[in-house]
Amino acid sequence: MRVIHPLSRPVLGILLSATLLSGCVTNHETGNPEGWTEIKPAAVSEIAALVPPDIAAKGYLTMGTNPPFAPFEFKDSEGNIIGLEIDLGNALASVLGLELHPVEQDFSKILPAVSAGTLDFGGSGFTDTEERRASYDFVNSLYAGVQWAQQTGDHVDPNNPCGLTIAVQRTTVSDTDDVRPKAEKCLAEGKAPIEVLAYDSSDNAATALALGRADALSADSPVTSWAIERAGGKIETTGDMFQAAPYGFAVPKGSPLGPALAAAMQHLIDTGDYQRLMKQWNIEDGYLQHALINEKPVSQKK
């Protein structure tokens, strides 16, 4: 979950800066997953009619995004931005009779750009939170939580992590809301401390686990699944997913673009394109059953 927090807690254990590790097994992406096919449905006139006139006139949607955050958004070997949210954005735009123009930006600048109107919406692993809903509406895309991974055959218990070395992506929920509170608890109880290996990308955190530099990885469940698929059997999940929350595409509060995107999402769900798109990126659970804005069902307007 991409929620930026300041590192206000004391640094516990070893905090590493991001580095590209030799022998990396997860951060060299060549392109879309095996068996991938483009999913760009035909425009649906009744849904396209919901698009705000200024956006309809220009013929495309701008979506702010911040790679790398595989499988949601990252760059292929040619430097193109690809990923689950890019595919979903393309499919939604297609239903609306529009093209999608991904715009790479610093993560912290995407939502302000949406507010300023320089971006139509944001799609970069945003967690739909009550705090953010004060300024934005979120067209939800899926539910995900925190999922730990271990080296294959190990016996790591996420509920008893004292004494372990744990890899995370810096400033994510896994870092600030999962591992660091657990590290503080270990110290408060006089138990062996946790060493926190914090990296600037989830790929490097997963690589640390695969290479044996960490005992465990804490990351968003789709990120963990993606890493496992690319680690050649070196790592596996451990424990249950927890802290489940919705992801979403952010639009300005009250914008008519929200209902238009939600109607397009409902169309993708109804036709099965939503499910097919998720499966292509190894997402097997957390699916929406109905289109949601801020976790509330939206009736498609025709």
Side-chain angles (χ1 to χ4, degrees), residues 153-232:
D154 208 345
H155 300 285
V156 170
D157 181 358
N159 296 314
N160 295 286
C162 299
L164 299 180
T165 299
I166 305 171
V168 296
Q169 181 180 358
R170 192 189 311 275
T171 75
T172 60
V173 167
S174 284
D175 180 14
T176 60
D177 293 9
D178 176 29
V179 175
R180 293 190 184 277
K182 288 176 179 176
E184 291 177 348
K185 183 179 179 182
C186 290
L187 289 180
E189 294 177 350
K191 297 179 180 179
I194 291 174
E195 293 185 359
V196 183
L197 304 187
Y199 296 91
D200 286 343
S201 77
S202 57
D203 294 334
N204 288 342
T207 295
L209 174 61
L211 294 180
R213 301 193 180 192
D215 299 303
L217 166 74
S218 174
D220 287 11
S221 50
V223 172
T224 299
S225 295
W226 179 261
I228 288 171
E229 185 179 10
R230 272 156 172 66

Side-chain angles (χ1 to χ4, degrees), residues 64 86 89 172 181 225 266 279 291:
I86 304 302
T172 60
S225 295
Q266 186 64 55
K279 287 181 183 295

